[in-house]
């Protein structure tokens, strides 16, 4: 997220965890946001790398780690944060090495593309490097919105 949104971000996260964990006596509901997870918050210096979350902006990084075992639990865990940030108008760029939102969701493909000013340049370079989509998996086809018969 842009560094200038960090104070708002921290207030939103504090409220989220307070409501979900500290004030909630129902152990089942507490676990969905807090059990087996670690949250790391740190600053990131701006960079010129097109698809970096810190492209041309100093940023605050929120690294959400899940130690749960199933993909379904992990995707559900991450989605609650993407929704939280989106609803609270905290713009965010995601790390490409982790789970991404469902491409058709409000925080999915269309949202992600708008967050990267050099998106179209990247897509042109990707096409030049792989004109026949040999390295394009079904997952990345859906995430990037590339037409390819799979």
């Amino acid at each position: 997220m842009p560094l200038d949104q960090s104070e708002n971000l921290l207030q939103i996260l504090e409220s989220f965890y307070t409501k979900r964990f500290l004030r909630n006596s129902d152990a089942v509901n507490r676990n969905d946001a807090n059990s087996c997870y670690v949250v790391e918050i740190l600053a990131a210096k701006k960079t010129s790398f097109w698809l970096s979350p810190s492209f041309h902006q100093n940023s605050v990084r929120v690294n959400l780690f899940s130690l749960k075992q199933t993909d379904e639990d992990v995707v559900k865990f991450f989605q609650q944060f993407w929704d939280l940030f989106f609803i609270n108008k905290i713009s965010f760029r995601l790390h490409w090495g982790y789970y991404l939102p469902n491409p058709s969701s409000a925080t999915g493909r269309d949202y992600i593309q708008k967050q990267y000013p050099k998106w179209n340049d990247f897509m042109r370079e990707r096409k030049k490097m792989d004109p026949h989509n040999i390295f394009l998996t079904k997952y990345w086809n859906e995430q990037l919105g590339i037409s390819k018969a799979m």
Side-chain angles (χ1 to χ4, degrees), residues 52-128:
S52 169
S54 295
F55 175 73
H56 285 200
Q57 69 182 18
N58 290 318
S59 301
V60 61
R61 287 182 19 199
V62 177
N63 295 333
L64 304 163
F65 298 95
S66 169
L67 305 176
K68 287 206 172 188
Q69 299 300 312
T70 69
D71 286 345
E72 182 180 326
D73 288 340
V74 173
V75 169
K76 181 180 174 185
F77 168 73
F78 285 121
Q79 191 64 53
Q80 69 184 332
F81 289 99
W82 299 321
D83 293 342
L84 179 70
F85 301 149
F86 183 77
I87 289 165
N88 286 284
K89 296 179 176 40
I90 299 287
S91 61
F92 58 93
R93 296 176 182 163
L94 298 171
H95 188 290
W96 296 97
Y98 298 106
Y99 287 91
L100 296 176
N102 179 312
S104 61
S105 72
T107 56
R109 180 178 47 243
D110 292 341
Y111 176 83
I112 291 171
Q113 289 176 6
K114 291 175 188 171
Q115 301 309 307
Y116 294 90
K118 296 290 231 170
W119 182 267
N120 292 332
D121 296 319
F122 164 73
M123 292 300 284
R124 278 191 294 279
E125 289 298 314
R126 193 216 67 80
K127 186 65 177 170
K128 276 198 284 188

Side-chain angles (χ1 to χ4, degrees), residues 17 21 27-38 65-68 77 80:
Y17 278 106
F21 187 64
V28 173
N29 288 334
R30 270 200 321 251
N31 289 338
D32 66 347
N34 302 288
S35 178
C36 302
Y37 300 107
V38 175
F65 298 95
S66 169
L67 305 176
K68 287 206 172 188
F77 168 73
Q80 69 184 332

